[in-house]
Amino acid sequence: DAGVIQSPRHEVTEMGQEVTLRCKPISGHNSLFWYRQTMMRGLELLIYFNNNVPIDDSGMPEDRFSAKMPNASFSTLKIQPSEPRDSAVYFCASSWGPGLGRNEQFFGPGTRLTVL
Amino acid sequence: KNQVEQSPQSLIILEGKNCTLQCNYTVSPFSNLRWYKQDTGRGPVSLTIMTFSENTKSNGRYTATLDADTKQSSLHITASQLSDSASYICVVTLGNTGTASKLTFGTGTRLQVTL
């Protein structure tokens, strides 16, 4: 298995532009997580899905952020409009099983987003 | 307030030596505690996951301990190798609700193993 796949690996955009990050979870996993990591705030969980359904999005910072999971093998995280403070590394992770229990999460390589 | 504090912030040790990283938390009720290793420029990799009923768990040269009474966990690395150089992050899950807002992250310990 190729593991969790994220694209793009790097994204540089200008303030106000729309940014779409993509994630393909490990085949067979039914939970998917979006994280953000910055030097100042560390790692933060933004939203997670179970069986393609968003379970809790209370970690999403603002309405400018939205996430979708149209099927079991694909998810997107969209920022519209983007702002410089959104600059961070965004990780996608997947696991087997519901919720935030003791199931191991497998992380993708991340997307480094820079908003100028 | 639910918090997770890790110490030290950074650590430099010689190859072959042992070291122990600490994680203290105030999260309650407690569901599970995870230790992750994160190499520079890469995603975190799970090392151990422990529930409140487990007080030790090993993964190769990594051994995590948990004292749910004192709300402390430690990660012990035996016979360190250069490849152990990374950040180690402690993450505590609140209760069994599974809601995103109930994950509390430590800021990590940056470990450097030198020759």
Side-chain angles (χ1 to χ4, degrees):
Chain A
D1 197 317
V4 175
I5 299 173
Q6 292 187 246
S7 65
R9 292 295 310 277
H10 302 273
E11 177 80 27
V12 180
T13 190
E14 293 185 345
M15 182 175 62
Q17 296 298 307
E18 177 181 296
V19 175
T20 300
L21 311 181
R22 297 173 176 79
C23 175
K24 176 179 170 55
I26 292 173
S27 178
H29 283 186
N30 62 349
S31 288
L32 182 140
F33 308 81
W34 281 102
Y35 291 86
R36 178 174 69 175
Q37 188 175 39
T38 63
M39 290 292 292
M40 290 295 294
R41 300 175 65 91
L43 200 59
E44 304 171 280
L45 179 59
L46 302 177
I47 183 173
Y48 81 93
F49 297 82
N50 181 246
N51 293 326
N52 311 338
V53 177
I55 303 301
D56 195 309
D57 65 354
S58 58
M60 297 285 261
E62 299 173 33
D63 291 343
R64 298 183 296 107
F65 287 69
S66 63
K68 294 182 180 179
M69 192 165 186
N71 57 62
S73 60
F74 184 67
S75 176
T76 60
L77 177 67
K78 184 177 294 185
I79 308 173
Q80 167 63 20
S82 59
E83 297 182 2
R85 60 193 168 123
D86 302 331
S87 298
V89 180
Y90 291 81
F91 289 105
C92 176
S94 69
S95 71
W96 169 249
L100 298 170
R102 57 178 302 156
N103 305 297
E104 182 176 357
Q105 294 182 24
F106 295 83
F107 282 73
T111 294
R112 181 174 294 278
L113 173 65
T114 302
V115 184
L116 303 175
Chain B
K1 181 180 177 182
N2 291 317
Q3 289 185 315
V4 176
E5 295 185 353
Q6 293 187 242
S7 63
Q9 282 190 325
S10 62
L11 182 63
I12 301 174
I13 62 172
L14 292 175
E15 185 181 31
K17 298 296 185 182
N18 303 335
C19 68
T20 299
L21 313 181
Q22 297 291 341
C23 174
N24 297 337
Y25 61 93
T26 60
V27 175
S28 182
F30 167 89
S31 175
N32 60 68
L33 184 148
R34 304 163 185 260
W35 282 97
Y36 286 98
K37 177 188 177 188
Q38 186 176 21
D39 293 320
T40 301
R42 309 191 74 159
V45 174
S46 179
L47 293 176
T48 62
I49 303 171
M50 292 184 291
T51 63
F52 69 91
S53 61
E54 299 172 294
N55 54 26
T56 186
K57 182 163 283 189
S58 292
N59 179 355
R61 295 179 297 102
Y62 301 99
T63 299
T65 64
L66 174 64
D67 186 331
D69 291 330
T70 62
K71 298 185 179 180
Q72 297 179 326
S73 177
S74 65
L75 180 69
H76 186 75
I77 305 174
T78 304
S80 62
Q81 300 176 358
L82 295 178
S83 60
D84 294 330
S85 297
S87 290
Y88 292 84
I89 303 171
C90 175
V91 184
V92 181
T93 302
L94 173 69
N96 288 310
T97 60
T99 56
S101 63
K102 302 301 191 293
L103 271 186
T104 307
F105 297 84
T107 54
T109 292
R110 178 70 193 172
L111 173 66
Q112 184 178 349
V113 181
T114 65
L115 294 172

